Amino acid sequence: MWHDLVAVQMPIVEKILRTVAVYALILVLFRLAGKRGLAGMNTFDMVVVFLLSNVVQNAIIGSDNSLLGGVIGAVTLIAVNAVVIRWLARDPRAARLLEGTATTVVEDGRLVPGALRSLALRPSELEHAVRIQNGDDIGEVARARLEPDGQLLVALKADEQSATRGDVEDLRRRLAEIERLLTAIAADRRPPG
């Protein structure tokens, strides 16, 4: 029994190469699928991810069911991912190639139809994202971009943005100054005596 747990049933180099190859393939597939696939996982996306992990499992582990074989595969995946992430952080060209660039989907309160079609985004998905980011509707948006990581960044028009604590504090200071001036004016108008 203990022997089956630790005896790797295929060459370690083969296991590492299989893991790297499957990682690269999945990376390419997600890149071809586009940003929309990363933007928000719906039921269909979850089904694909669950099935995808099962489909590629045998490509990674082969006929090896040992504990040590699984550990080698897991360590290889984490190591390859760490190397790729660090590479992308240092090399903007590699990041652009592997991740893509941001796509503007709303400009000055109007949807960009070509961008929506190419990303397979529905206007209702954008409206939901705008509401999550404190807007009421698309008309309030100065610009919205779908980032390469699938995150939707929304910038509201200046007059549609919520007040910050600094804005409220500035109003308090101004009101206090107005009250002080009104008190001074009222004191000046009182009859002497």
Side-chain angles (χ1 to χ4, degrees):
M1 175 178 104
W2 291 105
H3 181 267
D4 292 339
L5 288 174
V6 294
V8 179
Q9 299 161 358
M10 71 173 26
I12 292 174
V13 172
E14 180 183 344
K15 181 167 284 298
I16 291 171
L17 290 175
R18 283 171 170 260
T19 304
V20 171
V22 170
Y23 179 90
L25 173 68
I26 299 298
L27 187 68
V28 168
L29 290 174
F30 273 113
R31 176 65 174 101
L32 293 175
K35 295 177 275 240
R36 192 253 181 260
L38 301 172
M41 293 186 67
N42 60 32
T43 304
F44 304 110
D45 299 326
M46 293 295 287
V47 168
V48 168
V49 168
F50 285 132
L51 292 176
L52 186 61
S53 64
N54 194 40
V55 166
V56 299
Q57 175 185 357
N58 289 338
I60 291 176
I61 66 170
S63 60
D64 187 351
N65 290 322
S66 69
L67 176 63
L68 188 56
V71 169
I72 291 169
V75 168
T76 302
L77 275 175
I78 299 299
V80 169
N81 193 55
V83 167
V84 169
I85 287 171
R86 283 175 177 72
W87 176 41
L88 296 178
R90 289 189 183 115
D91 189 348
R93 288 180 305 187
R96 211 171 21 262
L97 175 69
L98 294 178
E99 294 179 330
T101 57
T103 303
T104 301
V105 292
V106 178
E107 187 71 50
D108 195 28
R110 294 188 185 94
L111 297 173
V112 180
L116 293 180
R117 275 192 302 276
S118 71
L119 295 169
L121 279 174
R122 296 185 310 261
S124 61
E125 292 173 303
L126 283 175
E127 290 167 3
H128 176 72
V130 167
R131 284 191 299 277
I132 288 174
Q133 297 187 37
N134 297 324
D136 289 326
D137 62 44
I138 299 290
E140 295 179 355
V141 175
R143 171 176 276 192
R145 295 186 333 215
L146 188 62
E147 295 295 319
D149 64 358
Q151 189 176 29
L152 184 67
L153 296 181
V154 175
L156 297 176
K157 294 177 180 176
D159 57 338
E160 300 294 342
Q161 294 179 9
S162 301
T164 65
R165 287 183 181 162
D167 295 335
V168 172
E169 190 55 40
D170 185 47
L171 284 174
R172 284 185 180 145
R173 279 193 302 273
R174 289 179 179 197
L175 286 173
E177 180 62 20
I178 290 170
E179 286 176 349
R180 188 188 65 73
L181 290 171
L182 288 174
T183 302
I185 291 171
D188 288 345
R189 289 192 175 178
R190 280 193 207 129

